[in-house]
Amino acid sequence: MVLSRLICAFLLVACCCCRRAAGVPGEAEQPEPELVEVEVGSTALLKCGFSHSQGNFSHIDWFSVHKEKPALIFRVRQGQGQSEPGEYQHRLSLQDKGTTLALTHVTPHDERIFLCRDKRPRSQEHRIQLRVYKAPEEPSIQLNTLGISVSSREPEEVATCVGRNGYPIPQVIWYKNRQPLKEENRIHIQSSQIVESSGLYTLRSVLKAQLLKEDKDAQFYCELNYRLPSGNHMKESREVTVPVFYPAEKVWLEVEPVGILKEGDRVEIRCLADGNPPPHFSVSKQNLSTMVVEEEKTTDDNGILVLEAVQKKHSGLYQCHGLDLETLVSLQSDPQELLVNYVSDVRVSPAAPESQEGSNLTLTCEAESNQVPEFQWLREKTGKVLEKGPVLQLHNLKREAGGSYRCMASVSSVPGLNRTQLVNVTILGPPWMALKERKMWVQENAMLNLSCEASGNPRPTISWNVKGMASEQDQDPQSVLSILNVLVTPELLETGAECMASNSLGKNTTIIFLELDSNRTGLNTSTVNPHARANSTSTEKKLPKPESKGVVIVAVTVCVLVLAVLGALLYFFYKKGKLPCGRSGKQEITLPPSRKSEFVVEVKSDKLPEEMGLLQGSNGDKRAPGDQGEKYIDLRH
């Protein structure tokens, strides 16, 4: 037994010696290469890791090992470096006194083993493993826009993730709703890569899955994991949602706007379903009273039926009907009532009211509505509310009461719901004249336009008492303006002109007085306010003829002088004692015998009665209007 053990040990030692002699790796194998990591485009520093002094680096050869074949790329002699022709000729240089070889502009093709070898004093070498890294670009994701049906029996493509220009190949991970996906029966992930001419990789990963209805809102994205000298990193794509097709199980109806509807509103009837794509919709309307389907309309592609301006006829029960084009199953929603509040057919009676001046008139308003309407009466030209309620009473009608009135019917519980009806009230009466009298300054033998305006209902006709060329213009349906072109003659100056307006209910006149004034250039000057109205022939008085300012001043001056003379005479006789105090009226005065002759002093004034108040008697009383401004003093005694 001991002998057999000795023989085995001897054979083992012999085998080891033979292995070393044959160069077979074993316990005397070369140590692992030194690892150097750099990013693409940067500079790699390759240090020759000999442990002896600096002086021994004066004679070194650098090799790159590709497919286990070393190739000389750089020589160091007496501390000076020299590149060998080839791919590294212009990218190598010495640093750190010849101990370090710098490789610039690193590419993925540079990922290999580099070794330095020194044969003095004995052959030795140092190996370096160069690792190269490049972060990929941001991953892009391409969605299957055609969608996936839940009835599919095989996994279908959901999305494709692409990561470009990375090194080495990054790892891809797919996520659904932030949860990583793994290969299973319903999920398949297929990845492939392309090597670009630069040596970088482009990764392409396709996610296939069998989706359910619950995945209709699921968000998918991909993640690229890669390594750099600084550590591990990752980049995420944007999130996408793939269309998922599934049959509808329920259909329902919605109405916009929500709440109370009124005539004129824009209404949208929306048909909705829980299927994707939604089924083909139609909308039916059922009469509330007869429960008969009156019409059926097709919606647009979004399942919406628009009623631009609803009317009371649109009220009813509405239902949505949906036909799934994949399963050919027909579904319908629950009926929903659409109630359109309305006010319509506003009527006023009588429709064309007429009434005589001074009489009363009653107007009545009616309207149709699905609710109890409220009424208001308004004056059209002022907008003033006259009455609340369906009846408007107009008492003791005047001409001004004629015109338009508006009845408004509304529903207070539905804001903005109202309708109105306009009615025109006609007041019947004799003609109204624009002016009762006028005065014009004219020149003799000149042509003159005389105008006369009248209104009334029935529409009046106008005639003149003088001859001339007359023309008429309608001011409105009840007003007329007559213009008479005449020659100013002495007869016309004496008589003046009169126009008469008449209708079936009476007549009225306007008198135009003509005064000759050679100093005036304007021939058409009225002495009456043109806006004044004179329409009552029984109670109106003729306006007095006004005097010119010059005549008034002269008359006042004469009156003052006469009063001064009378005052002097009276004072004279009073001082002589011939005039008793306190007497009024006619006064007798006894004169001396030499002055027995009789004479009468008569003072006259052309003032009108209202102006004669300026002249008073000695006792301060005003003169009577009938006095006509005349005063007699009897001086015979």
Side-chain angles (χ1 to χ4, degrees), residues 504-519:
S504 59
L505 299 179
K507 63 183 179 178
N508 214 332
T509 61
T510 291
I511 300 176
I512 302 175
F513 298 101
L514 304 179
E515 292 289 342
L516 189 61
D517 187 359
S518 59
N519 295 326

Side-chain angles (χ1 to χ4, degrees), residues 199-351:
L200 301 176
Y201 290 101
T202 293
L203 174 68
R204 179 183 178 89
S205 179
V206 179
L207 172 65
K208 294 183 177 182
Q210 285 182 284
L211 299 182
L212 303 175
K213 180 179 178 180
E214 291 74 18
D215 297 323
K216 61 185 179 67
D217 298 320
Q219 292 183 321
F220 296 89
Y221 70 95
C222 63
E223 174 186 283
L224 296 181
N225 292 325
Y226 57 95
R227 189 178 184 282
L228 295 178
S230 58
N232 294 324
H233 300 269
M234 67 90 170
K235 289 183 177 180
E236 295 178 344
S237 71
R238 62 185 178 91
E239 294 181 326
V240 295
T241 299
V242 66
V244 178
F245 302 133
Y246 47 89
E249 298 176 357
K250 180 181 179 183
V251 173
W252 66 94
L253 180 149
E254 292 181 355
V255 177
E256 287 285 342
V258 178
I260 299 176
L261 300 177
K262 65 179 183 301
E263 281 187 313
D265 286 346
R266 183 182 187 275
V267 176
E268 290 186 0
I269 299 176
R270 298 182 178 181
C271 294
L272 303 171
D274 60 353
N276 187 32
H280 178 77
F281 288 111
S282 62
V283 178
S284 65
K285 173 181 172 292
Q286 194 174 21
N287 189 291
L288 285 171
S289 57
T290 63
M291 303 306 291
V292 175
V293 176
E294 296 180 339
E295 59 182 343
E296 185 168 342
K297 293 185 177 181
T298 303
T299 66
D300 62 12
D301 294 339
N302 297 318
I304 299 176
L305 176 63
V306 178
L307 305 176
E308 288 293 346
V310 293
Q311 304 295 325
K312 63 180 180 180
K313 66 180 182 179
H314 292 121
S315 294
L317 286 176
Y318 285 81
Q319 259 186 315
C320 286
H321 304 271
L323 176 63
D324 192 285
L325 299 179
E326 183 177 353
T327 62
L328 298 180
V329 174
S330 179
L331 300 171
Q332 65 183 19
S333 69
D334 294 333
Q336 182 170 331
E337 180 180 356
L338 183 69
L339 176 61
V340 179
N341 294 283
Y342 67 91
V343 174
S344 62
D345 298 330
V346 181
R347 303 175 299 279
V348 175
S349 58

